[in-house]
Amino acid sequence: AVVSTQSTGAIDKDYKGTHVPAKEDKSPISSPEPGRASTLSTSHVDIEKLIHRLQCEVKVYRVRVCEHFKDFDGLKSGSISKSLFQRGLASMQGNHYNLTPSELEALSIYYKDPKIQGNVLWSYFERDMERVITERNLEKKPDFRVQSNDHITLQSWNSETQISDEERTTGQNALNRLREQIAQRRIMTKPCFNDFDRHNCGYVSRNQFAQGLSYLGLECTEAERKAISALYGDCKGINYHKFFKDIDPVQPEPQKYERNLSEMVRYIKFRETGTERLLNRDACKTVEAVIDKVKETVMKRRIRLLEFFKDYDKLKAGRIKKTNFKRALDLSGLNLTTDEAELLCTRYQSDQDNVLYHHFNDEIESIFTVKGLEKSPTKQVVQYKIMPEWLKNNLSKPIQEVYDSAMEHLARFVKTRRMQLYPMFEDYDKCKNGTVTYSQFRRVLSILSLIADEVEFHALEKQYKVNVGGMNVFNYLAFCDDVYELAKLNKLD
């Protein structure tokens, strides 16, 4: 059954309002044009300063810029829409100082894509941001000198806080008092605040700053603390690096790279010059002396010279170029001078540019065996013996006379007292190689009161000089043997 609404009391008969249906608006909806100029004003934004501020935050907080934009760029074109670019900026900033809408708009305009209207070139933005970390494509520029970025720190980028003259005076007086307290008590200020600053960004909160001052015993009144907070504070907190730089300055360490580099270059040049001078001073004058020198080196170090020469003789002809012959001598480690190598080239030269290295190698290998010994079974082979180095020392006639006189005096003294010389030197010979330094040699003879004349010391040192590890030392074994031989004593007596 139909229930009449008139019979119910649900309708307010006194209500005079009527429902008028709204007219349908058939005009097309206007959509915003892409790339249309924004109504935000960016005239007050310093874009260079803004980019530098973002670079400092990227360097201090170690932000990977591409991680916040690459997900928006599916085609890897380096260009995304302005809204996505601003979302990436917001994600990159995180909990740090956020950008204002005007700054976001200024960055979007600065990096706008000239080819696609309404897009922003985020790849250019990433390149500028990460330039403070390193330079791109360094593998293509090996000579490029990377500038140090140690001077880039997190700074205050807010507009300057208006500080009254009274607050500035109060803050300066408090700083002067704190500076005197730190100097008198020699307080280590920075470690206390480093504990609060776990990310080493140079900022602490105002409560942490007050707690740190209280812990160090640097008490301040509330007015002084507010004045200091106004001088060194911003939205991130208190810049305690700048604060302690003013009241407890530390002498900056000089850049050591340039100084160490120059010292290294000077040392290398000195070493090369000294080595060449040492080699030229002891260079052999005749080809026979050079061959003897090579034989001794090969005998001591067991060098196979043929292995260094045959790499340059591809046709196994037994001869190689003169330049290759010198290069092989250098690679073998014989430490020959240029003049000595030239003497060998002249001795074994086959024609104008070639050297018969096989003949040279046979001459050197004769210290181990004789070539073609299987054809002469009755031939007697004499073993090659290295001449002691100290026997090669030639003394001039005046020094030889001083040496003979000193040795006769030592022989008489040792024979009279039946003295053992070896134990005195062996105490200084830690390596047991039969040598001591010149100062140790003089010390032993001074203890025994054997020689006090400087000329005799010089003559003995010159006669028994040997080279060990690039340093001239004294061969005390040969010295003691000669003294006992002159005294006609047994070494074991």
Side-chain angles (χ1 to χ4, degrees), residues 31-39 81-83 105 108-109 112-113 116-120:
S31 59
E33 298 179 3
R36 187 171 60 181
S38 174
T39 57
S81 65
K82 183 169 69 174
S83 60
E105 186 66 27
S108 301
I109 295 174
K112 68 179 180 179
D113 190 346
I116 304 177
Q117 192 175 16
N119 275 25
V120 180

Side-chain angles (χ1 to χ4, degrees), residues 285-351:
K285 305 301 181 183
T286 62
V287 65
E288 288 78 11
V290 176
I291 293 175
D292 290 340
K293 178 180 178 180
V294 174
K295 286 181 177 180
E296 291 180 5
T297 306
V298 171
M299 186 72 176
K300 291 177 182 178
R301 300 172 55 188
R302 292 297 192 269
I303 303 174
R304 295 199 62 183
L305 294 178
L306 186 62
E307 301 295 331
F308 298 94
F309 291 118
K310 68 181 183 180
D311 292 338
Y312 299 103
D313 186 14
K314 302 299 182 183
L315 301 178
K316 312 298 181 184
R319 63 178 181 271
I320 57 177
K321 295 288 186 181
K322 185 185 294 186
T323 54
N324 291 335
F325 181 77
K326 293 180 179 180
R327 188 176 293 115
L329 291 176
D330 291 338
L331 293 175
S332 62
L334 296 176
N335 295 329
L336 298 180
T337 63
T338 305
D339 296 336
E340 291 174 342
E342 192 64 33
L343 287 174
L344 292 176
C345 292
T346 305
R347 173 68 175 270
Y348 297 99
Q349 184 174 359
S350 64
D351 49 40

Side-chain angles (χ1 to χ4, degrees), residues 63 113 244 304 329 347 368 422 442 462 472:
V63 180
D113 190 346
F244 286 115
R304 295 199 62 183
L329 291 176
R347 173 68 175 270
F368 300 110
Y422 292 104
R442 293 184 177 221
K462 196 171 182 63
N472 292 330

